Amino acid sequence: MAGAPHRLLAKVRKYHFQLRHLTVAFAVLVLFQLFATVAQKRALKGFLYDTQEWYQRDFAERQANLTASAFELVLETALQNRRLEEASVKKIVQAFNIILSQQLLQQHVQEVCILVSDGPRVVPIDNGHVLFEYVVSHSAQLPPDRPHPRAVELYQELAPQLISSEQTLSRVEGGQNFHVFVPLVPKGEYFGALYMLSTPQFHLVSAEILAGYNETGLISIALILLGFLAMFYISSYTVRERDEAQQLLFQERERQIREHMHYQKEALFAKRIYHTHHKAEKVMGFIKEDLELLSPANIEQVRERVRKYANFISRVIYDMKWYEPPLHTVRNPAFRTSVNDVVRFVVQNIFLRLPSGQQQFRIELDLDERVPPVAINEFVVWEIIEPLLQNAIDHSGNDHLVIRVSSTYQADQQRTLLTIADNGPGVRQDLLETDERGVRRLFLENVTTKSNQGNSGYGCYIAHELCTQRCGWAIDVENLPEGGCQFTIVIPHEAVNETSHARAD
């Protein structure tokens, strides 16, 4: 368990927090704080409004009850003695007026009256003399006008409930106006109801509480902002050295990768040169042999053959100068190369030149004379065909190997199919698999079936690279049902005239 904090710390250290990470964290925290502040403010506001309404109702009902109690005491005094002296009458009338008018002096009290029933109608009384006459002699003339229409309307609605329950009832209008009705029951008999309209104001208290809460929220956000600014200030110094070290590390790593790529290219370049070196040696041997056999009878034939040999050696030496030769030295409209002529020359003057080769294998040619010339350097075509033929010979394992080289011109599709097939054991199935680019493993670099892989695995790779990357052709390989394998090269042609289809002699 002791190692758990260390493992957690090690996991956290893997993540490099930068200025943008802190900015996002600050923005998220501020938004969360604002959301929480608004939500809490709404909840507090609702609580304050509910509490305020309850307190206002309770305050208005208490005040109305106190006023009603004072009326009941004065009414009981007036009802105890119907024969009062004039001075006592004046005191009672004055007491009624004081009770009715004193409440109006308060800012939140708007109306105060006594509601009594006069037959089918309800009469509001807000005058002490009229109230005294009504209490002492019920035959007193009540005022015909109704100065408190809303009070009369609500009383008519609540009168049955007031008479039956004899409890204080109140109605709220507009959230601030409280209509309070208190039943008057002197000596146990229902007399009427005290009506009071009050609008107690407590919004100033709620506003002060909400303002204080807003200040608290702003102070919290300001403290968060100052804290993040301090983190920015500190992290800008602590992260700077790390970023500089990472930058230096990346630059050093980039330099090492470039050097490694350069060395790798040089190594591959050297291997490819070594791969073609023995071909140049073999061609040089043919040149020496032709010079020894030179005679007036064969001088033209030998001269043409030696010229091609020399041009091939020149091409090999030229390729040694470039890892990637310029494209115009491979593809150029000035080139008018006959694929059939190149195939014949390579077969007759390279592979069939040695007497031992004629005993080990036989090469059959089936060339379509309609094949148009291509705008490719003839020695590049030589470099494509030669390793494919050599691959068939090296992996045949058969003393009676037959290699069939054929070319077919498909005029409707404006292309030529050049195939090299043999009756050998074929290509191993795993070498026919393709990678993510769709290239078969046989055409990948350093892929070979020879036991000595030091400088093997470049023949098919070079043929594939020259076909696809340099010439714009397509190449594929497959095993034949009757045995052996077949390489197929697809050579597209541009639109050409019919007169150019024939090979120039």
Side-chain angles (χ1 to χ4, degrees):
M1 296 298 293
H6 296 286
R7 290 194 297 269
L8 180 61
L9 184 61
K11 290 182 179 179
V12 173
R13 285 177 178 174
K14 294 190 300 182
Y15 302 97
H16 301 287
F17 294 97
Q18 298 180 357
L19 188 62
R20 60 177 180 271
H21 302 140
L22 297 178
T23 304
V24 173
F26 170 72
V28 171
L29 188 58
V30 168
L31 290 176
F32 175 78
Q33 181 66 23
L34 288 175
F35 177 78
T37 301
V38 172
Q40 292 179 0
K41 182 179 178 181
R42 291 186 61 183
L44 178 62
K45 190 175 181 180
F47 171 75
L48 289 176
Y49 284 170
D50 293 342
T51 304
Q52 175 180 319
E53 182 181 353
W54 171 82
Y55 185 74
Q56 287 174 331
R57 184 190 296 273
D58 183 72
F59 178 79
E61 291 180 354
R62 285 178 179 273
Q63 190 174 25
N65 286 329
L66 290 177
T67 305
S69 299
F71 266 115
E72 287 183 349
L73 290 176
V74 177
L75 286 174
E76 288 181 358
T77 301
L79 293 175
Q80 284 178 358
N81 190 358
R82 297 300 181 98
R83 296 179 180 181
L84 296 174
E85 296 180 356
E86 186 178 354
S88 299
V89 172
K90 290 182 179 181
K91 290 182 179 180
I92 293 175
V93 171
Q94 185 179 9
F96 283 152
N97 287 329
I98 290 173
I99 293 174
L100 291 172
S101 61
Q102 188 178 18
Q103 304 301 326
L104 296 176
L105 296 178
Q106 300 187 32
Q107 183 178 2
H108 58 274
V109 178
Q110 306 297 327
E111 297 180 17
V112 178
C113 66
I114 302 297
L115 297 170
V116 296
S117 298
D118 183 19
R121 71 189 185 104
V122 177
V123 180
I125 303 175
D126 56 3
N127 184 280
H129 180 73
V130 176
L131 181 61
F132 180 80
E133 291 295 331
Y134 178 78
V135 171
V136 174
S137 60
H138 292 283
S139 60
Q141 294 293 328
L142 295 175
D145 57 340
R146 296 184 178 183
H148 307 280
R150 183 58 179 161
V152 174
E153 181 182 353
L154 292 175
Y155 180 75
Q156 290 176 345
E157 180 182 349
L158 299 175
Q161 188 176 356
L162 284 170
I163 296 172
S164 62
S165 63
E166 296 184 357
Q167 293 182 357
T168 302
L169 299 178
S170 60
R171 287 288 181 88
V172 183
E173 289 184 348
Q176 295 291 334
N177 299 324
F178 290 85
H179 302 272
V180 183
F181 297 87
V182 182
L184 299 175
V185 192
K187 294 184 178 181
E189 296 181 0
Y190 183 80
F191 175 76
L194 172 71
Y195 168 75
M196 180 179 291
L197 173 62
S198 61
T199 56
Q201 301 292 332
F202 293 97
H203 65 277
L204 295 177
V205 178
S206 301
E208 288 295 329
I209 294 175
L210 293 176
Y213 187 80
N214 290 334
E215 291 179 0
T216 303
L218 291 176
I219 291 173
S220 300
I221 295 177
L223 291 176
I224 293 173
L225 176 60
L226 291 176
F228 270 91
L229 289 177
M231 293 175 63
F232 291 161
Y233 180 77
I234 295 173
S235 62
S236 62
Y237 288 96
T238 56
V239 175
R240 182 182 303 171
E241 294 183 358
R242 186 202 66 188
D243 293 341
E244 291 177 355
Q246 284 184 345
Q247 186 67 23
L248 294 176
L249 179 61
F250 291 155
Q251 292 177 357
E252 179 65 20
R253 182 59 178 168
E254 182 180 3
R255 185 185 64 81
Q256 292 179 357
I257 292 175
R258 287 181 177 178
E259 290 182 355
H260 178 71
M261 292 177 62
H262 178 72
Y263 294 150
Q264 190 175 21
K265 286 183 178 180
E266 291 292 336
L268 294 177
F269 186 36
K271 289 181 179 180
R272 291 175 186 175
I273 292 175
Y274 183 83
H275 181 73
T276 57
H277 183 264
H278 73 280
K279 300 178 183 178
E281 288 181 335
K282 181 170 59 175
V283 171
M284 287 298 297
F286 293 156
I287 293 175
K288 294 177 182 180
E289 183 180 347
D290 283 341
L291 292 176
E292 292 178 356
L293 298 175
L294 186 63
S295 66
N298 63 1
I299 187 172
E300 291 297 330
Q301 180 182 1
V302 172
R303 183 180 67 82
E304 181 64 22
R305 190 165 56 240
V306 170
R307 184 184 65 82
K308 288 185 177 291
Y309 286 154
N311 287 337
F312 177 77
I313 297 297
S314 177
R315 180 71 188 188
V316 171
I317 296 174
Y318 180 81
D319 289 342
M320 292 181 182
K321 297 168 53 180
W322 306 88
Y323 177 73
E324 294 181 354
L327 186 60
H328 70 273
T329 63
V330 177
R331 301 171 62 178
N332 198 313
F335 296 137
R336 304 287 293 174
T337 301
S338 173
V339 177
N340 292 341
D341 288 348
V342 175
V343 171
R344 289 190 185 96
F345 185 84
V346 171
V347 170
Q348 295 174 2
N349 297 286
I350 299 296
F351 290 96
L352 300 181
R353 183 73 182 266
L354 297 176
S356 60
Q358 298 179 5
Q359 299 175 2
Q360 294 178 357
F361 57 86
R362 185 175 77 255
I363 300 179
E364 299 177 355
L365 300 181
D366 181 14
L367 304 178
D368 189 351
E369 299 302 330
R370 298 179 303 156
V371 174
V374 294
I376 304 294
N377 190 305
E378 63 176 328
F379 300 103
V380 175
V381 180
W382 184 339
E383 290 179 295
I384 294 174
I385 298 172
E386 192 273 339
L388 298 180
L389 293 171
Q390 190 66 47
N391 181 79
I393 297 172
D394 293 341
H395 298 86
S396 65
N398 188 353
D399 293 337
H400 302 285
L401 176 66
V402 178
I403 301 175
R404 295 178 299 276
V405 182
S406 62
S407 62
T408 304
Y409 176 65
Q410 298 176 343
D412 56 340
Q413 302 185 32
Q414 290 293 319
R415 68 178 187 178
T416 295
L417 297 182
L418 179 63
T419 60
I420 300 176
D422 62 67
N423 61 347
V427 181
R428 223 169 48 199
Q429 192 61 36
D430 61 310
L431 298 180
L432 295 178
E433 298 176 357
T434 58
D435 60 3
E436 63 278 0
R437 299 176 301 166
V439 179
R440 299 192 186 276
R441 290 189 64 247
L442 181 66
F443 296 126
L444 299 180
E445 197 167 20
N446 287 328
V447 175
T448 181
T449 57
K450 295 181 180 180
S451 58
N452 182 16
Q453 299 184 4
N455 292 285
S456 302
Y458 287 98
C460 294
Y461 169 75
I462 292 175
H464 179 271
E465 289 295 306
L466 291 175
C467 274
T468 59
Q469 303 299 323
R470 294 294 177 178
C471 299
W473 300 349
I475 184 172
D476 197 7
V477 61
E478 60 181 344
N479 286 328
L480 299 175
E482 63 274 13
C485 69
Q486 175 177 289
F487 289 91
T488 303
I489 300 175
V490 181
I491 305 174
H493 298 285
E494 299 180 356
V496 294
N497 296 328
E498 293 296 332
T499 56
S500 63
H501 287 181
R503 179 180 59 85
D505 292 335

